[in-house]
Amino acid sequence: MTVTVVGIGGSLRADSQSQRALDLVLAGAREAGAKTVAFTGPELVLPFYDPAVPERPEHAVRMVEALRAADGVVLVSPGYHGTVSGLVKNTLDYIEDLRGDERPYLDGRAVGCVATAMGWQAAVTTLTALRSIVHALRGWPTPLGAALNSREVRFDPEGGCTDTQVSETLRTIGQQVAEFALRGRHQPEGRPDVLLRADED
């Protein structure tokens, strides 16, 4: 049984550190047997979300449809002034278009969260913000998340990382998303009981 994991993240800067981090998380998901789809950088440039305007640009429709079909999700954001970037936040606002679904928002889906910033304070508060957003969208943040200080760890275009432990952590997040998605297929209403226990601890 194959599950699909959708990754959202990055910045407008081509080949950004946050996009490279996303690539490593999705690589971990593929290693666990998942199919992955990514929406990054320019693909996240969308009009400000307005629920009163029913028309959506084509790339917004593609992203929302991918999330609708997703078994798991990965969110990676750079930290801007201590929280999620406007680019990523506006993208996540489009998940509101899933509110009327049988499985609304990110309900029942495992979600891996990663934040990158030029300092620990912004990285940690951004990760906290991402996890709070996932809770609000009825998703299940994986037990492992990552706050990355870009002053101390760097990624290269080939997928390498200056810190092997960080690389392993990112791959593990992707593996958790894929594994919990697989388990969720066998649980009532698609809700991974492992995530429920981890979140209640």
Side-chain angles (χ1 to χ4, degrees), residues 126-141:
T126 300
L127 177 61
T128 300
L130 276 175
R131 293 176 69 86
S132 295
I133 291 169
V134 171
H135 279 292
L137 292 171
R138 307 184 192 182
W140 299 95

Side-chain angles (χ1 to χ4, degrees), residues 17-129:
Q17 293 292 293
S18 52
Q19 181 174 332
R20 291 175 185 171
L22 175 62
D23 291 341
L24 276 174
V25 179
L26 294 180
R30 289 192 296 273
E31 289 165 5
K35 172 186 173 183
T36 63
V37 180
F39 295 89
T40 64
E43 294 173 296
L44 305 183
V45 179
L46 302 167
F48 286 120
Y49 181 76
D50 184 350
V53 178
E55 294 79 16
R56 300 283 181 257
E58 183 179 342
H59 53 306
V61 172
R62 284 199 308 271
M63 184 193 68
V64 170
E65 287 303 315
L67 288 168
R68 177 173 281 123
D71 300 291
V73 178
V74 173
L75 304 178
V76 180
S77 177
Y80 286 1
H81 304 134
T83 191
V84 178
S85 72
L87 184 73
V88 172
K89 179 58 171 69
N90 186 56
T91 299
L92 296 179
D93 287 344
Y94 277 80
I95 296 175
E96 180 67 17
D97 285 355
L98 302 179
R99 67 187 176 280
D101 287 12
E102 182 177 349
R103 186 171 59 158
Y105 304 110
L106 299 180
D107 185 57
R109 297 168 177 87
V111 184
C113 299
V114 177
T116 66
M118 295 295 284
W120 284 114
Q121 179 173 330
V124 171
T125 57
T126 300
L127 177 61
T128 300

